Amino acid sequence: MRVLVVEDEPYMAEALQAGLRQEAIAADIALDGDRALERVAVNDYDAVVLDRDIPGTHGDEVCAVLVRDHPGTRIIMLTAAGRLRDKVDGFSLGADDYLTKPFALEELVMRLRALARRPATAVDPVLHCGDLRLDPYRREAHRGGRPLRLPRKQFAVLELLMRADGAVVTAETLLEKVWDEHADPFTTAPRVAVSHLRRVLGDPDPIVTVPGVGYRLVDPERER
């Protein structure tokens, strides 16, 4: 996932960013509403963690813009107020979820994961491809019953490939979704991560390289 954290308290924003990165979630920061709108205009975010009371453009207006211009982006509203009226207002603006400060990072991560797997129809939260099994919630991956020890970036790359369900994932998409805005667009990091991931997964190799395009994940038994 790639997430934008909109929070006007720098310490809180940086703490959330660091915590999300530990969970293999790429996170950018915006300290005010104006900066948030600039970032969502140029980046494709899966979710926005939006403090309602922020300087510049108010959080309510940021939410309205997201709902209107980026309907695929999930929104979790944050507020220090626990009043029912505030929650009703947030949901009426189009927010997908609501958290009242203070909250546990673990709860935010679980809510983000839940939103990420909320499609038009219900799906199994555990991802499967051949003998590969990946549980984003428990941060566990197995192949043929064998546990896989994957660093955060490799886990995120594998999750993205598995969610693509056999479709090609470009190197640009990997960079966009797994790394953050500070990543060099000319970096070879996605290619290196895929190479390391292949070594961990072992044979037969389930990752197919599509020259000049990207990668896709297959069930080697079906490809024979």
Side-chain angles (χ1 to χ4, degrees), residues 93-112:
L93 289 167
D96 297 281
D97 206 346
Y98 207 99
L99 269 177
T100 301
K101 297 179 182 178
F103 57 86
L105 175 67
E106 291 81 0
E107 182 178 6
L108 174 60
V109 171
M110 293 296 287
R111 288 174 184 259
L112 285 169

Side-chain angles (χ1 to χ4, degrees), residues 61-126:
E61 178 60 25
V62 174
C63 183
V65 171
L66 285 166
V67 171
R68 184 189 69 219
D69 298 339
H70 307 275
T73 300
R74 306 296 191 178
I75 304 166
I76 297 182
M77 278 279 208
L78 303 180
T79 183
R83 295 175 302 178
L84 177 60
R85 183 71 257 168
D86 289 329
K87 295 184 179 182
V88 172
D89 289 344
F91 284 123
S92 68
L93 289 167
D96 297 281
D97 206 346
Y98 207 99
L99 269 177
T100 301
K101 297 179 182 178
F103 57 86
L105 175 67
E106 291 81 0
E107 182 178 6
L108 174 60
V109 171
M110 293 296 287
R111 288 174 184 259
L112 285 169
R113 292 291 189 188
L115 289 176
R117 66 178 177 88
R118 186 188 294 173
T121 57
V123 297
D124 187 345
V126 178

Side-chain angles (χ1 to χ4, degrees), residues 154-202:
Q154 292 179 34
F155 187 94
V157 168
L158 179 59
E159 180 179 352
L160 197 60
L161 289 171
M162 293 186 76
R163 288 192 184 280
D165 195 26
V168 176
V169 179
T170 67
E172 290 79 9
T173 297
L174 289 176
L175 191 63
E176 172 78 14
K177 296 294 187 181
V178 178
W179 283 261
D180 58 29
E181 63 180 343
H182 300 295
D184 182 348
F186 300 104
T187 183
T188 60
R191 179 171 58 82
V192 172
V194 169
S195 177
H196 289 169
L197 178 59
R198 279 185 161 127
R199 286 202 289 270
V200 176
L201 294 178

